[in-house]
Amino acid sequence: MILIISSYSDQSTNDVIDWLLYCGVPFIRINEEDKITNINIVINDILFDIEVTFFVKLIKKGIKVNSKQIEGYWYRRGKLNYDIEIGEVNKVFSQLKKNLELDKDSVVELIHTLLTTQSRSLGSYYKEARKNKFLDLLMAKKVGLKIPKTVLSGSKKYIKKNYESLKRALITKNIRYPINITTENIRIGDPGTVVIGSKDINVWKENFLPAKFQEKLEKLYELRIFFIKDKLFSMAIFSQKDEQTRVDFRNYNMSSPNRMIPYVLPLEIEDKIKQFIVNSELDSGSIDIVVTPNDEFIFLEVNPAGQFGFVSFSCNYYLEKHIAEFFTNLDDSFF
């Protein structure tokens, strides 16, 4: 049986499950919206045993799963929803509540980590939860990939100095996760990549919370590379000719979509990316690269739980089939 951790809204999970059903492979899917009601874990010198009971919100039914049933584990996205009923606490016991929350997080992380020891495992909750874009840039540089000049600062004076030395615009984007705040009356979403010029910098306060800034790259096209183990599936995105997508192709132009085609990486770049994947201890994810008019390949970032549906569809890669085959042992030679 294959255990899948995901979320209700993830279409790529549904697409992989279609292939598992076609191959007759049993699976259990736990979504982050499903509530974990009970956890039992045993660890000894020989083996470990996990028993998790969860309540499926969609069908209003409780299900128990034991690690002895699990032959493969796919962490797609989300987090196990183990919500301890602590109840109301007064100010005196507020610290106790914080400690219990930390204990809860440790239990969830332990489960994810133990499950990745399965012989067939893809994805990592730990890698996704702890990802650090700055450390990824350093890792990319270490293997010989070029990276954009990047500044982390909360000083107007320092940013202005770097802006003037580059003699080109800056861009800024989130340090780790996109902003997503929703209340009854308002919704604040992440703007994605934003271009910063001198007029913007001049109106800033002298000091602010540290933010991420990078030089704005001129691009010939962008690359989205999805990888499964050491197999790379590359796609070129021609976003530079559309004003709406020029800075960030995720500002999708639905009326006139960017051209997206399969792409063959130069062997030198492919080897460096594979070394980056090994050094980062990742087994799946998405890598973003910009190719400049001077044919320079500039590494931007890696997302351990990156989107792959549009790469699969646009390039006829059938990535969902490859992932299903990874867990069905139908195509070991592929890896």
Side-chain angles (χ1 to χ4, degrees):
M1 182 188 72
I2 311 302
L3 176 63
I4 301 170
I5 307 296
S6 189
S7 62
Y8 282 135
S9 61
D10 189 66
Q11 182 58 43
S12 293
T13 304
N14 298 338
D15 294 337
V16 171
I17 284 175
D18 285 343
W19 281 102
L20 292 175
L21 291 170
Y22 175 78
C23 296
V25 178
F27 66 90
I28 286 182
R29 174 177 178 173
I30 303 179
N31 294 303
E32 61 181 347
E33 295 86 352
D34 299 327
K35 182 176 174 57
I36 304 299
T37 57
N38 190 37
I39 292 176
N40 298 297
I41 301 175
V42 175
I43 303 174
N44 58 37
D45 292 337
I46 303 174
L47 48 78
F48 69 88
D49 185 39
I50 302 174
E51 183 182 87
V52 175
T53 305
F54 65 100
F55 185 80
V56 183
K57 183 178 179 181
L58 193 62
I59 61 177
K60 298 182 179 180
K61 181 182 178 180
I63 296 177
K64 182 183 292 185
V65 57
N66 193 289
S67 57
K68 294 176 182 178
Q69 305 170 264
I70 302 171
E71 298 174 314
Y73 171 61
W74 181 30
Y75 171 76
R76 168 59 189 148
R77 60 174 62 253
K79 180 181 179 181
L80 289 173
N81 182 14
Y82 185 35
D83 189 12
I84 303 172
E85 297 293 342
I86 299 175
E88 294 295 326
V89 294
N90 58 34
K91 189 174 182 180
V92 176
F93 295 102
S94 61
Q95 186 60 51
L96 173 62
K97 183 176 181 178
K98 291 180 181 178
N99 290 345
L100 291 175
E101 291 288 346
L102 291 173
D103 286 347
K104 179 192 72 173
D105 290 341
S106 296
V107 171
V108 170
E109 186 173 324
L110 172 63
I111 293 174
H112 282 292
T113 302
L114 290 175
L115 288 172
T116 58
T117 64
Q118 296 291 330
S119 59
R120 288 284 177 177
S121 172
L122 271 184
S124 169
Y125 164 76
Y126 179 82
K127 291 293 184 182
E128 175 65 15
R130 300 288 191 272
K131 66 181 179 182
N132 187 310
K133 296 179 181 180
F134 297 97
L135 295 180
D136 290 337
L137 288 171
L138 293 175
M139 187 78 71
K141 181 181 178 182
K142 187 175 181 179
V143 301
L145 290 167
K146 293 185 177 181
I147 61 173
K149 181 174 182 179
T150 304
V151 177
L152 175 65
S153 176
S155 166
K156 172 182 175 179
K157 182 179 180 180
Y158 192 78
I159 298 301
K160 189 173 183 179
K161 176 183 176 182
N162 277 273
Y163 169 78
E164 292 172 348
S165 66
L166 283 172
K167 298 180 180 179
R168 66 172 70 178
L170 299 175
I171 60 103
T172 184
K173 59 190 304 185
N174 61 76
I175 291 178
R176 191 165 185 177
Y177 297 114
I179 295 172
N180 187 5
I181 302 172
T182 303
T183 69
E184 292 182 1
N185 301 317
I186 63 170
R187 183 181 183 280
I188 302 175
D190 192 271
T193 304
V194 177
V195 179
I196 300 296
S198 58
K199 291 182 179 179
D200 302 296
I201 298 174
N202 288 336
V203 298
W204 292 350
K205 293 182 178 180
E206 290 301 322
N207 295 287
F208 45 88
L209 287 174
K212 176 185 177 182
F213 302 90
Q214 288 181 321
E215 60 178 315
K216 182 178 180 294
L217 299 171
E218 296 299 322
K219 61 185 178 182
L220 190 61
Y221 47 84
E222 298 179 64
L223 300 179
R224 168 61 63 92
I225 305 162
F226 187 77
F227 60 92
I228 308 171
K229 298 297 184 178
D230 63 349
K231 188 71 174 180
L232 308 183
F233 301 87
S234 304
M235 179 178 73
I237 307 167
F238 295 89
S239 56
Q240 73 284 355
K241 291 185 179 181
D242 190 320
E243 187 64 34
Q244 183 170 322
T245 61
R246 184 173 298 164
V247 175
D248 190 338
F249 79 87
R250 292 170 299 180
N251 298 323
Y252 307 112
N253 187 339
M254 305 308 291
S255 61
S256 181
N258 293 154
R259 184 182 179 215
M260 295 181 282
I261 61 172
Y263 186 85
V264 179
L265 289 164
L267 288 178
E268 180 185 3
I269 299 299
E270 181 176 329
D271 289 342
K272 290 177 180 179
I273 290 174
K274 288 182 177 180
Q275 190 58 55
F276 169 84
I277 292 170
V278 171
N279 291 357
S280 301
E281 298 181 338
L282 296 171
D283 55 26
S284 66
S286 291
I287 291 174
D288 289 332
I289 284 178
V290 161
V291 180
T292 71
N294 296 325
D295 290 325
E296 294 181 305
F297 289 73
I298 313 295
F299 174 94
L300 297 183
E301 63 179 281
V302 60
N303 291 293
Q307 297 289 354
F308 61 85
F310 75 113
V311 178
S312 180
F313 176 79
S314 300
C315 300
N316 292 318
Y317 282 142
Y318 294 96
L319 296 175
E320 301 81 9
K321 179 174 181 288
H322 288 308
I323 292 173
E325 287 177 343
F326 173 79
F327 289 110
T328 58
N329 295 316
L330 292 178
D331 190 10
D332 282 335
S333 63
F334 179 81
F335 298 95

